[in-house]
Amino acid sequence: MQAVAKLKTGGWTEIGTLDDIPRQGARVVRRADGDIAVFRTLDDEVFALRDKCPHKGGPLSQGIVHGNKVACPLHDWKISLDTGMAVAPDEGCAARFPVRVDGGKVFLSLTPEEGCSTNA
């Protein structure tokens, strides 16, 4: 499923409900400037990263979520969902986007956080 932005309020865009994202899985918000993967952990935490591994550009949304990390499906690089940083010894990062859940609805900021290139 691809999420479609529905409503924009105060810099936040409603992208669906928490139940739209499978536990230990992801959904993709398609953007002309690069797709955003929205992840849900087993504990119902939600994170959003640029859907592009910093190694070879693999689609992180197709990776396996374990704890607060996702494993890239191409070369098994582990990316921290809460920081976007590759887990040592690998180096690099995927841009992180603010996300919040309110009343079961998921809201995403389409502006990446500082500290990582938006092209990563």
Side-chain angles (χ1 to χ4, degrees):
M1 175 196 128
Q2 296 177 13
V4 176
K6 297 178 182 176
L7 174 69
K8 190 170 184 176
T9 308
W12 294 98
T13 302
E14 182 181 339
I15 58 167
T17 67
L18 183 62
D19 290 337
D20 291 336
I21 308 167
R23 282 193 172 106
Q24 294 182 291
R27 290 295 180 252
V28 177
V29 175
R30 300 278 179 210
R31 302 275 301 158
D33 60 347
D35 294 343
I36 302 169
V38 182
F39 300 92
R40 180 180 179 190
T41 68
L42 190 60
D43 297 330
D44 292 331
E45 290 184 275
V46 179
F47 301 93
L49 300 175
R50 176 74 64 209
D51 193 20
K52 185 177 179 183
C53 180
H55 178 225
K56 296 283 185 179
L60 294 176
S61 60
Q62 295 177 25
I64 296 172
V65 175
H66 49 92
N68 282 6
K69 297 178 184 67
V70 63
C72 178
L74 295 186
H75 301 102
D76 201 36
W77 273 38
K78 311 297 187 288
I79 308 297
S80 175
L81 294 174
D82 52 354
T83 65
M85 299 298 294
V87 176
D90 299 321
E91 296 179 358
C93 66
R96 187 164 187 277
F97 293 79
V99 65
R100 67 181 175 87
V101 179
D102 186 7
K105 294 179 180 177
V106 180
F107 295 87
L108 176 69
S109 170
L110 302 177
T111 303
E113 292 181 345
E114 303 266 333
C116 184
S117 168
T118 59
N119 295 323

PDB file of all heavy atoms in Angstrom, residues 17-57:
ATOM      1  N   THR A  17      -3.799   5.687   9.053  1.00  0.00           N
ATOM      2  CA  THR A  17      -3.941   5.272  10.447  1.00  0.00           C
ATOM      3  C   THR A  17      -2.796   4.352  10.841  1.00  0.00           C
ATOM      4  O   THR A  17      -2.124   3.770   9.978  1.00  0.00           O
ATOM      5  CB  THR A  17      -5.268   4.530  10.678  1.00  0.00           C
ATOM      6  OG1 THR A  17      -5.231   3.278   9.980  1.00  0.00           O
ATOM      7  CG2 THR A  17      -6.460   5.355  10.207  1.00  0.00           C
ATOM      8  N   LEU A  18      -2.619   4.206  12.139  1.00  0.00           N
ATOM      9  CA  LEU A  18      -1.587   3.295  12.645  1.00  0.00           C
ATOM     10  C   LEU A  18      -1.827   1.883  12.128  1.00  0.00           C
ATOM     11  O   LEU A  18      -0.888   1.170  11.771  1.00  0.00           O
ATOM     12  CB  LEU A  18      -1.569   3.323  14.180  1.00  0.00           C
ATOM     13  CG  LEU A  18      -0.498   2.486  14.861  1.00  0.00           C
ATOM     14  CD1 LEU A  18       0.897   2.969  14.481  1.00  0.00           C
ATOM     15  CD2 LEU A  18      -0.675   2.529  16.375  1.00  0.00           C
ATOM     16  N   ASP A  19      -3.090   1.477  12.047  1.00  0.00           N
ATOM     17  CA  ASP A  19      -3.418   0.129  11.570  1.00  0.00           C
ATOM     18  C   ASP A  19      -3.085  -0.086  10.099  1.00  0.00           C
ATOM     19  O   ASP A  19      -3.022  -1.228   9.639  1.00  0.00           O
ATOM     20  CB  ASP A  19      -4.892  -0.185  11.820  1.00  0.00           C
ATOM     21  CG  ASP A  19      -5.196  -0.359  13.297  1.00  0.00           C
ATOM     22  OD1 ASP A  19      -4.268  -0.677  14.079  1.00  0.00           O
ATOM     23  OD2 ASP A  19      -6.368  -0.173  13.686  1.00  0.00           O
ATOM     24  N   ASP A  20      -2.874   0.997   9.340  1.00  0.00           N
ATOM     25  CA  ASP A  20      -2.473   0.869   7.929  1.00  0.00           C
ATOM     26  C   ASP A  20      -1.040   0.365   7.789  1.00  0.00           C
ATOM     27  O   ASP A  20      -0.647  -0.098   6.715  1.00  0.00           O
ATOM     28  CB  ASP A  20      -2.571   2.220   7.210  1.00  0.00           C
ATOM     29  CG  ASP A  20      -4.000   2.699   7.025  1.00  0.00           C
ATOM     30  OD1 ASP A  20      -4.927   1.869   7.020  1.00  0.00           O
ATOM     31  OD2 ASP A  20      -4.186   3.927   6.887  1.00  0.00           O
ATOM     32  N   ILE A  21      -0.256   0.491   8.864  1.00  0.00           N
ATOM     33  CA  ILE A  21       1.155   0.081   8.833  1.00  0.00           C
ATOM     34  C   ILE A  21       1.281  -1.214   9.614  1.00  0.00           C
ATOM     35  O   ILE A  21       0.972  -1.251  10.807  1.00  0.00           O
ATOM     36  CB  ILE A  21       2.066   1.160   9.471  1.00  0.00           C
ATOM     37  CG1 ILE A  21       1.796   2.530   8.854  1.00  0.00           C
ATOM     38  CG2 ILE A  21       3.537   0.765   9.330  1.00  0.00           C
ATOM     39  CD1 ILE A  21       2.406   3.673   9.634  1.00  0.00           C
ATOM     40  N   PRO A  22       1.720  -2.303   9.001  1.00  0.00           N
ATOM     41  CA  PRO A  22       1.844  -3.557   9.742  1.00  0.00           C
ATOM     42  C   PRO A  22       2.941  -3.469  10.801  1.00  0.00           C
ATOM     43  O   PRO A  22       3.941  -2.769  10.613  1.00  0.00           O
ATOM     44  CB  PRO A  22       2.213  -4.585   8.666  1.00  0.00           C
ATOM     45  CG  PRO A  22       2.816  -3.781   7.569  1.00  0.00           C
ATOM     46  CD  PRO A  22       2.176  -2.432   7.613  1.00  0.00           C
ATOM     47  N   ARG A  23       2.740  -4.149  11.923  1.00  0.00           N
ATOM     48  CA  ARG A  23       3.798  -4.211  12.938  1.00  0.00           C
ATOM     49  C   ARG A  23       5.029  -4.843  12.312  1.00  0.00           C
ATOM     50  O   ARG A  23       4.934  -5.810  11.569  1.00  0.00           O
ATOM     51  CB  ARG A  23       3.346  -5.036  14.139  1.00  0.00           C
ATOM     52  CG  ARG A  23       2.427  -4.266  15.052  1.00  0.00           C
ATOM     53  CD  ARG A  23       2.248  -4.966  16.384  1.00  0.00           C
ATOM     54  NE  ARG A  23       1.525  -4.118  17.293  1.00  0.00           N
ATOM     55  CZ  ARG A  23       0.258  -4.305  17.635  1.00  0.00           C
ATOM     56  NH1 ARG A  23      -0.431  -5.325  17.160  1.00  0.00           N
ATOM     57  NH2 ARG A  23      -0.327  -3.463  18.466  1.00  0.00           N
ATOM     58  N   GLN A  24       6.187  -4.272  12.613  1.00  0.00           N
ATOM     59  CA  GLN A  24       7.480  -4.693  12.061  1.00  0.00           C
ATOM     60  C   GLN A  24       7.487  -4.569  10.534  1.00  0.00           C
ATOM     61  O   GLN A  24       8.120  -5.348   9.840  1.00  0.00           O
ATOM     62  CB  GLN A  24       7.829  -6.110  12.488  1.00  0.00           C
ATOM     63  CG  GLN A  24       8.059  -6.212  13.990  1.00  0.00           C
ATOM     64  CD  GLN A  24       8.448  -7.600  14.408  1.00  0.00           C
ATOM     65  OE1 GLN A  24       7.633  -8.523  14.358  1.00  0.00           O
ATOM     66  NE2 GLN A  24       9.697  -7.753  14.814  1.00  0.00           N
ATOM     67  N   GLY A  25       6.787  -3.563  10.045  1.00  0.00           N
ATOM     68  CA  GLY A  25       6.716  -3.342   8.608  1.00  0.00           C
ATOM     69  C   GLY A  25       6.728  -1.859   8.283  1.00  0.00           C
ATOM     70  O   GLY A  25       6.990  -1.025   9.147  1.00  0.00           O
ATOM     71  N   ALA A  26       6.414  -1.547   7.035  1.00  0.00           N
ATOM     72  CA  ALA A  26       6.466  -0.160   6.580  1.00  0.00           C
ATOM     73  C   ALA A  26       5.454   0.087   5.473  1.00  0.00           C
ATOM     74  O   ALA A  26       4.986  -0.854   4.830  1.00  0.00           O
ATOM     75  CB  ALA A  26       7.866   0.170   6.065  1.00  0.00           C
ATOM     76  N   ARG A  27       5.178   1.351   5.262  1.00  0.00           N
ATOM     77  CA  ARG A  27       4.402   1.830   4.131  1.00  0.00           C
ATOM     78  C   ARG A  27       5.181   2.978   3.516  1.00  0.00           C
ATOM     79  O   ARG A  27       6.014   3.597   4.170  1.00  0.00           O
ATOM     80  CB  ARG A  27       3.010   2.304   4.562  1.00  0.00           C
ATOM     81  CG  ARG A  27       2.102   1.156   4.996  1.00  0.00           C
ATOM     82  CD  ARG A  27       1.810   0.249   3.798  1.00  0.00           C
ATOM     83  NE  ARG A  27       0.956  -0.868   4.147  1.00  0.00           N
ATOM     84  CZ  ARG A  27       1.356  -2.124   4.243  1.00  0.00           C
ATOM     85  NH1 ARG A  27       2.623  -2.421   4.062  1.00  0.00           N
ATOM     86  NH2 ARG A  27       0.520  -3.082   4.522  1.00  0.00           N
ATOM     87  N   VAL A  28       4.898   3.288   2.276  1.00  0.00           N
ATOM     88  CA  VAL A  28       5.650   4.313   1.550  1.00  0.00           C
ATOM     89  C   VAL A  28       4.753   5.493   1.213  1.00  0.00           C
ATOM     90  O   VAL A  28       3.637   5.318   0.733  1.00  0.00           O
ATOM     91  CB  VAL A  28       6.246   3.729   0.251  1.00  0.00           C
ATOM     92  CG1 VAL A  28       6.964   4.806  -0.549  1.00  0.00           C
ATOM     93  CG2 VAL A  28       7.183   2.585   0.566  1.00  0.00           C
ATOM     94  N   VAL A  29       5.285   6.693   1.464  1.00  0.00           N
ATOM     95  CA  VAL A  29       4.647   7.922   1.020  1.00  0.00           C
ATOM     96  C   VAL A  29       5.435   8.368  -0.202  1.00  0.00           C
ATOM     97  O   VAL A  29       6.636   8.645  -0.112  1.00  0.00           O
ATOM     98  CB  VAL A  29       4.684   9.014   2.120  1.00  0.00           C
ATOM     99  CG1 VAL A  29       4.118  10.325   1.600  1.00  0.00           C
ATOM    100  CG2 VAL A  29       3.923   8.546   3.353  1.00  0.00           C
ATOM    101  N   ARG A  30       4.787   8.361  -1.354  1.00  0.00           N
ATOM    102  CA  ARG A  30       5.448   8.711  -2.616  1.00  0.00           C
ATOM    103  C   ARG A  30       5.584  10.227  -2.732  1.00  0.00           C
ATOM    104  O   ARG A  30       4.611  10.950  -2.525  1.00  0.00           O
ATOM    105  CB  ARG A  30       4.655   8.178  -3.806  1.00  0.00           C
ATOM    106  CG  ARG A  30       4.490   6.670  -3.793  1.00  0.00           C
ATOM    107  CD  ARG A  30       5.699   5.991  -4.331  1.00  0.00           C
ATOM    108  NE  ARG A  30       5.501   4.540  -4.286  1.00  0.00           N
ATOM    109  CZ  ARG A  30       6.467   3.682  -4.145  1.00  0.00           C
ATOM    110  NH1 ARG A  30       7.716   4.095  -4.049  1.00  0.00           N
ATOM    111  NH2 ARG A  30       6.235   2.397  -4.099  1.00  0.00           N
ATOM    112  N   ARG A  31       6.797  10.668  -3.028  1.00  0.00           N
ATOM    113  CA  ARG A  31       7.079  12.098  -3.168  1.00  0.00           C
ATOM    114  C   ARG A  31       7.954  12.299  -4.400  1.00  0.00           C
ATOM    115  O   ARG A  31       8.837  11.493  -4.666  1.00  0.00           O
ATOM    116  CB  ARG A  31       7.829  12.628  -1.947  1.00  0.00           C
ATOM    117  CG  ARG A  31       7.136  12.448  -0.618  1.00  0.00           C
ATOM    118  CD  ARG A  31       6.160  13.532  -0.317  1.00  0.00           C
ATOM    119  NE  ARG A  31       6.898  14.791  -0.324  1.00  0.00           N
ATOM    120  CZ  ARG A  31       6.321  15.962  -0.519  1.00  0.00           C
ATOM    121  NH1 ARG A  31       5.047  16.041  -0.718  1.00  0.00           N
ATOM    122  NH2 ARG A  31       7.035  17.067  -0.509  1.00  0.00           N
ATOM    123  N   ALA A  32       7.729  13.380  -5.131  1.00  0.00           N
ATOM    124  CA  ALA A  32       8.531  13.677  -6.313  1.00  0.00           C
ATOM    125  C   ALA A  32      10.002  13.851  -5.948  1.00  0.00           C
ATOM    126  O   ALA A  32      10.889  13.511  -6.735  1.00  0.00           O
ATOM    127  CB  ALA A  32       8.008  14.937  -7.001  1.00  0.00           C
ATOM    128  N   ASP A  33      10.274  14.359  -4.746  1.00  0.00           N
ATOM    129  CA  ASP A  33      11.662  14.600  -4.331  1.00  0.00           C
ATOM    130  C   ASP A  33      12.270  13.421  -3.568  1.00  0.00           C
ATOM    131  O   ASP A  33      13.340  13.546  -2.993  1.00  0.00           O
ATOM    132  CB  ASP A  33      11.764  15.885  -3.506  1.00  0.00           C
ATOM    133  CG  ASP A  33      10.930  15.846  -2.231  1.00  0.00           C
ATOM    134  OD1 ASP A  33      10.078  14.936  -2.090  1.00  0.00           O
ATOM    135  OD2 ASP A  33      11.116  16.722  -1.381  1.00  0.00           O
ATOM    136  N   GLY A  34      11.602  12.277  -3.564  1.00  0.00           N
ATOM    137  CA  GLY A  34      12.115  11.077  -2.904  1.00  0.00           C
ATOM    138  C   GLY A  34      11.074  10.489  -1.971  1.00  0.00           C
ATOM    139  O   GLY A  34      10.440  11.207  -1.198  1.00  0.00           O
ATOM    140  N   ASP A  35      10.887   9.189  -2.061  1.00  0.00           N
ATOM    141  CA  ASP A  35       9.893   8.514  -1.239  1.00  0.00           C
ATOM    142  C   ASP A  35      10.303   8.489   0.230  1.00  0.00           C
ATOM    143  O   ASP A  35      11.492   8.500   0.564  1.00  0.00           O
ATOM    144  CB  ASP A  35       9.688   7.076  -1.732  1.00  0.00           C
ATOM    145  CG  ASP A  35       9.076   7.026  -3.125  1.00  0.00           C
ATOM    146  OD1 ASP A  35       8.521   8.048  -3.573  1.00  0.00           O
ATOM    147  OD2 ASP A  35       9.153   5.962  -3.754  1.00  0.00           O
ATOM    148  N   ILE A  36       9.290   8.431   1.105  1.00  0.00           N
ATOM    149  CA  ILE A  36       9.496   8.356   2.547  1.00  0.00           C
ATOM    150  C   ILE A  36       8.901   7.048   3.041  1.00  0.00           C
ATOM    151  O   ILE A  36       7.739   6.737   2.745  1.00  0.00           O
ATOM    152  CB  ILE A  36       8.836   9.553   3.260  1.00  0.00           C
ATOM    153  CG1 ILE A  36       9.401  10.870   2.734  1.00  0.00           C
ATOM    154  CG2 ILE A  36       9.009   9.429   4.779  1.00  0.00           C
ATOM    155  CD1 ILE A  36       8.622  12.096   3.186  1.00  0.00           C
ATOM    156  N   ALA A  37       9.695   6.265   3.767  1.00  0.00           N
ATOM    157  CA  ALA A  37       9.225   5.015   4.359  1.00  0.00           C
ATOM    158  C   ALA A  37       8.771   5.306   5.788  1.00  0.00           C
ATOM    159  O   ALA A  37       9.506   5.922   6.559  1.00  0.00           O
ATOM    160  CB  ALA A  37      10.340   3.974   4.370  1.00  0.00           C
ATOM    161  N   VAL A  38       7.564   4.867   6.129  1.00  0.00           N
ATOM    162  CA  VAL A  38       7.026   5.046   7.471  1.00  0.00           C
ATOM    163  C   VAL A  38       6.953   3.663   8.114  1.00  0.00           C
ATOM    164  O   VAL A  38       6.255   2.778   7.608  1.00  0.00           O
ATOM    165  CB  VAL A  38       5.645   5.732   7.437  1.00  0.00           C
ATOM    166  CG1 VAL A  38       5.126   5.945   8.856  1.00  0.00           C
ATOM    167  CG2 VAL A  38       5.725   7.054   6.687  1.00  0.00           C
ATOM    168  N   PHE A  39       7.704   3.478   9.195  1.00  0.00           N
ATOM    169  CA  PHE A  39       7.864   2.181   9.848  1.00  0.00           C
ATOM    170  C   PHE A  39       7.071   2.105  11.144  1.00  0.00           C
ATOM    171  O   PHE A  39       6.910   3.112  11.839  1.00  0.00           O
ATOM    172  CB  PHE A  39       9.347   1.950  10.204  1.00  0.00           C
ATOM    173  CG  PHE A  39      10.259   1.951   9.020  1.00  0.00           C
ATOM    174  CD1 PHE A  39      10.877   3.120   8.605  1.00  0.00           C
ATOM    175  CD2 PHE A  39      10.505   0.781   8.318  1.00  0.00           C
ATOM    176  CE1 PHE A  39      11.725   3.130   7.524  1.00  0.00           C
ATOM    177  CE2 PHE A  39      11.360   0.777   7.222  1.00  0.00           C
ATOM    178  CZ  PHE A  39      11.967   1.956   6.823  1.00  0.00           C
ATOM    179  N   ARG A  40       6.642   0.895  11.486  1.00  0.00           N
ATOM    180  CA  ARG A  40       5.976   0.619  12.770  1.00  0.00           C
ATOM    181  C   ARG A  40       6.693  -0.550  13.430  1.00  0.00           C
ATOM    182  O   ARG A  40       6.893  -1.597  12.810  1.00  0.00           O
ATOM    183  CB  ARG A  40       4.521   0.268  12.537  1.00  0.00           C
ATOM    184  CG  ARG A  40       3.740  -0.044  13.806  1.00  0.00           C
ATOM    185  CD  ARG A  40       2.308  -0.380  13.448  1.00  0.00           C
ATOM    186  NE  ARG A  40       1.509  -0.719  14.599  1.00  0.00           N
ATOM    187  CZ  ARG A  40       0.290  -1.231  14.508  1.00  0.00           C
ATOM    188  NH1 ARG A  40      -0.263  -1.447  13.321  1.00  0.00           N
ATOM    189  NH2 ARG A  40      -0.374  -1.524  15.611  1.00  0.00           N
ATOM    190  N   THR A  41       7.088  -0.341  14.684  1.00  0.00           N
ATOM    191  CA  THR A  41       7.771  -1.409  15.411  1.00  0.00           C
ATOM    192  C   THR A  41       6.761  -2.320  16.091  1.00  0.00           C
ATOM    193  O   THR A  41       5.556  -2.031  16.122  1.00  0.00           O
ATOM    194  CB  THR A  41       8.716  -0.827  16.487  1.00  0.00           C
ATOM    195  OG1 THR A  41       7.926  -0.204  17.506  1.00  0.00           O
ATOM    196  CG2 THR A  41       9.713   0.158  15.892  1.00  0.00           C
ATOM    197  N   LEU A  42       7.257  -3.387  16.675  1.00  0.00           N
ATOM    198  CA  LEU A  42       6.415  -4.324  17.415  1.00  0.00           C
ATOM    199  C   LEU A  42       5.719  -3.631  18.583  1.00  0.00           C
ATOM    200  O   LEU A  42       4.603  -3.975  18.953  1.00  0.00           O
ATOM    201  CB  LEU A  42       7.258  -5.504  17.914  1.00  0.00           C
ATOM    202  CG  LEU A  42       6.521  -6.695  18.492  1.00  0.00           C
ATOM    203  CD1 LEU A  42       5.574  -7.302  17.462  1.00  0.00           C
ATOM    204  CD2 LEU A  42       7.522  -7.744  18.945  1.00  0.00           C
ATOM    205  N   ASP A  43       6.373  -2.599  19.144  1.00  0.00           N
ATOM    206  CA  ASP A  43       5.820  -1.842  20.279  1.00  0.00           C
ATOM    207  C   ASP A  43       4.989  -0.644  19.828  1.00  0.00           C
ATOM    208  O   ASP A  43       4.708   0.255  20.627  1.00  0.00           O
ATOM    209  CB  ASP A  43       6.955  -1.359  21.186  1.00  0.00           C
ATOM    210  CG  ASP A  43       7.720  -2.504  21.811  1.00  0.00           C
ATOM    211  OD1 ASP A  43       7.112  -3.573  22.044  1.00  0.00           O
ATOM    212  OD2 ASP A  43       8.927  -2.346  22.056  1.00  0.00           O
ATOM    213  N   ASP A  44       4.625  -0.589  18.557  1.00  0.00           N
ATOM    214  CA  ASP A  44       3.797   0.469  17.976  1.00  0.00           C
ATOM    215  C   ASP A  44       4.460   1.843  17.944  1.00  0.00           C
ATOM    216  O   ASP A  44       3.789   2.863  17.857  1.00  0.00           O
ATOM    217  CB  ASP A  44       2.429   0.570  18.671  1.00  0.00           C
ATOM    218  CG  ASP A  44       1.559  -0.642  18.393  1.00  0.00           C
ATOM    219  OD1 ASP A  44       1.723  -1.252  17.314  1.00  0.00           O
ATOM    220  OD2 ASP A  44       0.718  -0.985  19.246  1.00  0.00           O
ATOM    221  N   GLU A  45       5.796   1.881  17.984  1.00  0.00           N
ATOM    222  CA  GLU A  45       6.486   3.138  17.739  1.00  0.00           C
ATOM    223  C   GLU A  45       6.506   3.350  16.233  1.00  0.00           C
ATOM    224  O   GLU A  45       6.589   2.390  15.454  1.00  0.00           O
ATOM    225  CB  GLU A  45       7.905   3.093  18.276  1.00  0.00           C
ATOM    226  CG  GLU A  45       8.002   3.082  19.786  1.00  0.00           C
ATOM    227  CD  GLU A  45       9.447   3.123  20.235  1.00  0.00           C
ATOM    228  OE1 GLU A  45      10.060   2.044  20.312  1.00  0.00           O
ATOM    229  OE2 GLU A  45       9.960   4.229  20.472  1.00  0.00           O
ATOM    230  N   VAL A  46       6.444   4.610  15.807  1.00  0.00           N
ATOM    231  CA  VAL A  46       6.411   4.933  14.384  1.00  0.00           C
ATOM    232  C   VAL A  46       7.581   5.854  14.066  1.00  0.00           C
ATOM    233  O   VAL A  46       7.860   6.808  14.801  1.00  0.00           O
ATOM    234  CB  VAL A  46       5.067   5.594  14.007  1.00  0.00           C
ATOM    235  CG1 VAL A  46       5.041   5.964  12.532  1.00  0.00           C
ATOM    236  CG2 VAL A  46       3.910   4.664  14.344  1.00  0.00           C
ATOM    237  N   PHE A  47       8.269   5.554  12.970  1.00  0.00           N
ATOM    238  CA  PHE A  47       9.429   6.314  12.516  1.00  0.00           C
ATOM    239  C   PHE A  47       9.303   6.536  11.014  1.00  0.00           C
ATOM    240  O   PHE A  47       8.663   5.743  10.320  1.00  0.00           O
ATOM    241  CB  PHE A  47      10.732   5.549  12.793  1.00  0.00           C
ATOM    242  CG  PHE A  47      10.960   5.228  14.231  1.00  0.00           C
ATOM    243  CD1 PHE A  47      10.548   4.020  14.774  1.00  0.00           C
ATOM    244  CD2 PHE A  47      11.600   6.133  15.066  1.00  0.00           C
ATOM    245  CE1 PHE A  47      10.758   3.720  16.107  1.00  0.00           C
ATOM    246  CE2 PHE A  47      11.824   5.854  16.398  1.00  0.00           C
ATOM    247  CZ  PHE A  47      11.405   4.648  16.925  1.00  0.00           C
ATOM    248  N   ALA A  48       9.950   7.575  10.509  1.00  0.00           N
ATOM    249  CA  ALA A  48       9.932   7.834   9.068  1.00  0.00           C
ATOM    250  C   ALA A  48      11.340   8.186   8.595  1.00  0.00           C
ATOM    251  O   ALA A  48      12.014   9.024   9.190  1.00  0.00           O
ATOM    252  CB  ALA A  48       8.964   8.971   8.750  1.00  0.00           C
ATOM    253  N   LEU A  49      11.770   7.515   7.540  1.00  0.00           N
ATOM    254  CA  LEU A  49      13.089   7.737   6.941  1.00  0.00           C
ATOM    255  C   LEU A  49      12.942   7.860   5.433  1.00  0.00           C
ATOM    256  O   LEU A  49      12.009   7.301   4.838  1.00  0.00           O
ATOM    257  CB  LEU A  49      14.025   6.551   7.209  1.00  0.00           C
ATOM    258  CG  LEU A  49      14.350   6.164   8.638  1.00  0.00           C
ATOM    259  CD1 LEU A  49      15.194   4.896   8.646  1.00  0.00           C
ATOM    260  CD2 LEU A  49      15.073   7.299   9.340  1.00  0.00           C
ATOM    261  N   ARG A  50      13.905   8.535   4.802  1.00  0.00           N
ATOM    262  CA  ARG A  50      13.979   8.516   3.338  1.00  0.00           C
ATOM    263  C   ARG A  50      14.084   7.045   2.940  1.00  0.00           C
ATOM    264  O   ARG A  50      14.829   6.275   3.539  1.00  0.00           O
ATOM    265  CB  ARG A  50      15.208   9.294   2.864  1.00  0.00           C
ATOM    266  CG  ARG A  50      15.433   9.257   1.396  1.00  0.00           C
ATOM    267  CD  ARG A  50      14.500  10.110   0.576  1.00  0.00           C
ATOM    268  NE  ARG A  50      14.667  11.526   0.884  1.00  0.00           N
ATOM    269  CZ  ARG A  50      13.693  12.420   0.779  1.00  0.00           C
ATOM    270  NH1 ARG A  50      12.490  12.052   0.390  1.00  0.00           N
ATOM    271  NH2 ARG A  50      13.910  13.685   1.056  1.00  0.00           N
ATOM    272  N   ASP A  51      13.317   6.638   1.959  1.00  0.00           N
ATOM    273  CA  ASP A  51      13.255   5.229   1.557  1.00  0.00           C
ATOM    274  C   ASP A  51      14.433   4.877   0.649  1.00  0.00           C
ATOM    275  O   ASP A  51      14.267   4.415  -0.477  1.00  0.00           O
ATOM    276  CB  ASP A  51      11.927   4.948   0.852  1.00  0.00           C
ATOM    277  CG  ASP A  51      11.659   3.472   0.684  1.00  0.00           C
ATOM    278  OD1 ASP A  51      12.264   2.665   1.421  1.00  0.00           O
ATOM    279  OD2 ASP A  51      10.830   3.118  -0.174  1.00  0.00           O
ATOM    280  N   LYS A  52      15.640   5.119   1.174  1.00  0.00           N
ATOM    281  CA  LYS A  52      16.843   4.899   0.369  1.00  0.00           C
ATOM    282  C   LYS A  52      18.015   4.601   1.297  1.00  0.00           C
ATOM    283  O   LYS A  52      18.444   5.464   2.060  1.00  0.00           O
ATOM    284  CB  LYS A  52      17.111   6.168  -0.452  1.00  0.00           C
ATOM    285  CG  LYS A  52      18.247   6.071  -1.416  1.00  0.00           C
ATOM    286  CD  LYS A  52      18.349   7.363  -2.216  1.00  0.00           C
ATOM    287  CE  LYS A  52      19.505   7.306  -3.179  1.00  0.00           C
ATOM    288  NZ  LYS A  52      19.676   8.563  -3.909  1.00  0.00           N
ATOM    289  N   CYS A  53      18.540   3.405   1.229  1.00  0.00           N
ATOM    290  CA  CYS A  53      19.683   3.025   2.054  1.00  0.00           C
ATOM    291  C   CYS A  53      20.902   3.868   1.658  1.00  0.00           C
ATOM    292  O   CYS A  53      21.146   4.083   0.464  1.00  0.00           O
ATOM    293  CB  CYS A  53      19.993   1.551   1.867  1.00  0.00           C
ATOM    294  SG  CYS A  53      21.407   0.965   2.843  1.00  0.00           S
ATOM    295  N   PRO A  54      21.682   4.328   2.651  1.00  0.00           N
ATOM    296  CA  PRO A  54      22.859   5.135   2.327  1.00  0.00           C
ATOM    297  C   PRO A  54      23.971   4.356   1.625  1.00  0.00           C
ATOM    298  O   PRO A  54      24.889   4.952   1.082  1.00  0.00           O
ATOM    299  CB  PRO A  54      23.326   5.652   3.688  1.00  0.00           C
ATOM    300  CG  PRO A  54      22.762   4.720   4.687  1.00  0.00           C
ATOM    301  CD  PRO A  54      21.491   4.195   4.092  1.00  0.00           C
ATOM    302  N   HIS A  55      23.878   3.042   1.596  1.00  0.00           N
ATOM    303  CA  HIS A  55      24.920   2.223   0.976  1.00  0.00           C
ATOM    304  C   HIS A  55      24.783   2.213  -0.538  1.00  0.00           C
ATOM    305  O   HIS A  55      25.584   2.794  -1.257  1.00  0.00           O
ATOM    306  CB  HIS A  55      24.867   0.800   1.563  1.00  0.00           C
ATOM    307  CG  HIS A  55      25.845  -0.138   0.971  1.00  0.00           C
ATOM    308  ND1 HIS A  55      25.497  -1.413   0.600  1.00  0.00           N
ATOM    309  CD2 HIS A  55      27.157  -0.026   0.689  1.00  0.00           C
ATOM    310  CE1 HIS A  55      26.558  -2.035   0.108  1.00  0.00           C
ATOM    311  NE2 HIS A  55      27.581  -1.214   0.153  1.00  0.00           N
ATOM    312  N   LYS A  56      23.735   1.564  -1.039  1.00  0.00           N
ATOM    313  CA  LYS A  56      23.546   1.431  -2.487  1.00  0.00           C
ATOM    314  C   LYS A  56      22.149   1.850  -2.930  1.00  0.00           C
ATOM    315  O   LYS A  56      21.710   1.513  -4.029  1.00  0.00           O
ATOM    316  CB  LYS A  56      23.789  -0.026  -2.931  1.00  0.00           C
ATOM    317  CG  LYS A  56      25.201  -0.525  -2.711  1.00  0.00           C
ATOM    318  CD  LYS A  56      26.128   0.009  -3.769  1.00  0.00           C
ATOM    319  CE  LYS A  56      27.515  -0.610  -3.601  1.00  0.00           C
ATOM    320  NZ  LYS A  56      28.443  -0.161  -4.608  1.00  0.00           N
ATOM    321  N   GLY A  57      21.433   2.562  -2.043  1.00  0.00           N
ATOM    322  CA  GLY A  57      20.126   3.090  -2.426  1.00  0.00           C
ATOM    323  C   GLY A  57      18.978   2.112  -2.360  1.00  0.00           C
ATOM    324  O   GLY A  57      17.920   2.372  -2.931  1.00  0.00           O
TER     325      GLY A  57
END
